[in-house]
Amino acid sequence: MVEWISAPAFVPYAEALAFMEARVAAITAGEADEAIWLLEHPPLYTAGTSARPEDLTQPDRFPVHEAGRGGQYTYHGPGQRVAYVMLDLNTRGRDVRRFVCALEDWIIATLAEFNVTGERRAGRVGVWVTRPDSTAPHNPREDKIAAIGIKLRKWVSFHGISINVEPDLSHFEGIVPCGIREHGVTSLVDLGLPVTMADLDVALRATFDRIFASKDHSQPHVTDATACPPSIPTSEA
């Protein structure tokens, strides 16, 4: 059983880390159910285990937190849905690559609920959209709409995904998001869609079971395992 938790107010990052630590320990000990925690953070930057100092271009703009997850720098803040995913891969198949691919499929399926085509890109973990307003039809602009970074402890996951609903996109200017300089970021509202956080939460819950629920509660379903990213934003502890 997966418990869904929604935070009614912004959650400080240190508080979120402490919650995940405690919940993952309880899941590992068989004392708590798996959980999906939906929340927003106040404006902040997080540094993953592969973060490069030069990618933090405005270090004094917002607080910077060492996340302990895989990946590089990312931004969290109001208008961005963060879904922390505390799932037990001991019962879901100990396949990190497939798990990250399933998280991407979950995002893609969620975006499809709003008629947005999210896509993978080789060498770029996360989910991307081709801009419909691109001025270069033969080389269309691509922006990142969702990020992924996870950590595993005894095969139970921490951290998870973030999807941009209506954040202040200028806040991403203080970092090189995920170390990728040649592409930008976007959001559902930036794409012209009047989507609310509540709308997105409904879509996340509606699509979760398509990817992660199965009769034997083991491997998540993925649309194309060969498309899973070769470079996976994870860390282990």
Side-chain angles (χ1 to χ4, degrees):
M1 178 178 176
V2 177
E3 179 184 6
W4 288 77
I5 307 166
S6 295
F10 296 146
V11 178
Y13 197 72
E15 181 180 318
L17 290 180
F19 179 92
M20 285 190 285
E21 288 278 351
R23 186 60 176 249
V24 166
I27 293 169
T28 301
E31 298 170 352
D33 291 328
E34 298 174 303
I36 307 292
W37 189 17
L38 304 177
L39 58 86
E40 292 175 83
H41 285 303
L44 56 90
Y45 298 129
T46 67
T49 54
S50 301
R52 298 173 297 193
E54 64 270 23
D55 288 345
L56 181 62
T57 58
Q58 298 178 25
D60 298 325
R61 185 165 186 172
F62 298 123
V64 181
H65 298 269
E66 297 292 332
R69 56 161 174 78
Q72 302 187 39
Y73 281 108
T74 193
Y75 165 77
H76 294 313
Q80 181 192 73
R81 174 53 83 217
V82 174
Y84 286 136
V85 179
M86 289 155 276
L87 297 179
D88 187 356
L89 271 64
N90 290 290
T91 62
R92 295 177 176 274
R94 294 183 175 186
D95 188 329
V96 180
R97 184 187 180 105
R98 192 176 186 92
F99 179 58
V100 173
C101 199
L103 291 174
E104 289 183 336
D105 274 357
W106 183 29
I107 294 168
I108 290 168
T110 298
L111 295 175
E113 296 288 295
F114 306 103
N115 296 315
V116 173
T117 301
E119 299 175 308
R120 295 181 176 88
R121 287 292 180 266
R124 291 188 251 146
V125 175
V127 175
W128 299 78
V129 295
T130 300
R131 296 294 305 226
D133 53 354
S134 178
T135 58
H138 299 294
N139 186 25
R141 173 181 161 192
E142 295 179 347
D143 287 342
K144 192 170 191 175
I145 196 168
I148 297 173
I150 64 169
K151 176 180 178 179
L152 297 175
R153 179 172 297 156
K154 296 182 179 179
W155 290 101
V156 179
S157 64
F158 291 68
H159 301 278
I161 69 173
S162 60
I163 301 176
N164 297 331
V165 179
E166 192 179 8
D168 184 337
L169 295 178
S170 71
H171 289 179
F172 286 87
E173 295 170 3
I175 57 171
V176 179
C178 300
I180 299 172
R181 296 178 179 274
E182 63 271 26
H183 298 282
V185 292
T186 190
S187 69
L188 289 165
V189 171
D190 183 52
L191 292 172
L193 300 169
V195 178
T196 67
M197 200 67 73
D199 295 333
L200 184 72
D201 289 351
V202 169
L204 283 167
R205 295 194 67 159
T207 56
F208 179 83
D209 282 351
R210 298 182 204 166
I211 309 301
F212 290 98
S214 64
K215 290 182 179 179
D216 61 1
H217 193 61
S218 58
Q219 291 281 10
H221 171 75
V222 295
T223 55
D224 181 4
T226 64
C228 296
S231 177
I232 299 173
T234 63
S235 67
E236 297 186 38

